[in-house]
Amino acid sequence: MCTDANALSHNFDVNDLGEMEREWLHLVRLTCMSYEHNRAEGCDRAISHAEMRYGADNGPLIASRITGIIRAMRAERMGSFGYLSPQCPSCRLKVTEDEWLLLLLMQAGVRGDRGDIADAAAEFSGRSEAPVLAAAAARFGSALAPTDNRRPLTSPSLALH
């Protein structure tokens, strides 16, 4: 994916992301790899990575919520989705515009404001409304929301620069 002939346009640097967003991006890329190659390897790797990062109880849930967002994207998004390889060291330094918009949707899900989620889903999907994406983002956010029994999993700053 990193040869000039196959390179996706990117407008963002991975250093513009917070630690949590970089984790989400890696999980998204692994999940997309499974869809692209029609193999479970990417999803398995995403679950394993999420377990290492978030623990055995929360990791699989977070990975499955990301898969839910990807499935919703496939149902509602207009056009294709450009993502970079999770395996390429050069690609790990870049973020495509599509990935950036998806991260904004995921952030909206974590913040939990239904209006923000709906707006981010509509922008990401290219439609006036994207209720399936909005619901998937809300579910993703609820997986990261603190409860009485677990500590918060989000970084203090969720704003992309």
Side-chain angles (χ1 to χ4, degrees), residues 69-81:
I69 290 174
I70 301 303
R71 289 175 45 110
M73 172 188 73
R74 290 169 53 93
E76 283 191 326
R77 190 164 198 269
M78 305 288 283
S80 61
F81 177 74

Side-chain angles (χ1 to χ4, degrees), residues 40-62:
E41 176 191 358
C43 285
D44 285 344
R45 288 179 56 199
I47 292 168
S48 294
H49 182 82
E51 284 176 331
M52 288 181 350
R53 175 67 174 94
Y54 301 106
D57 291 334
N58 295 326
L61 174 62
I62 292 167

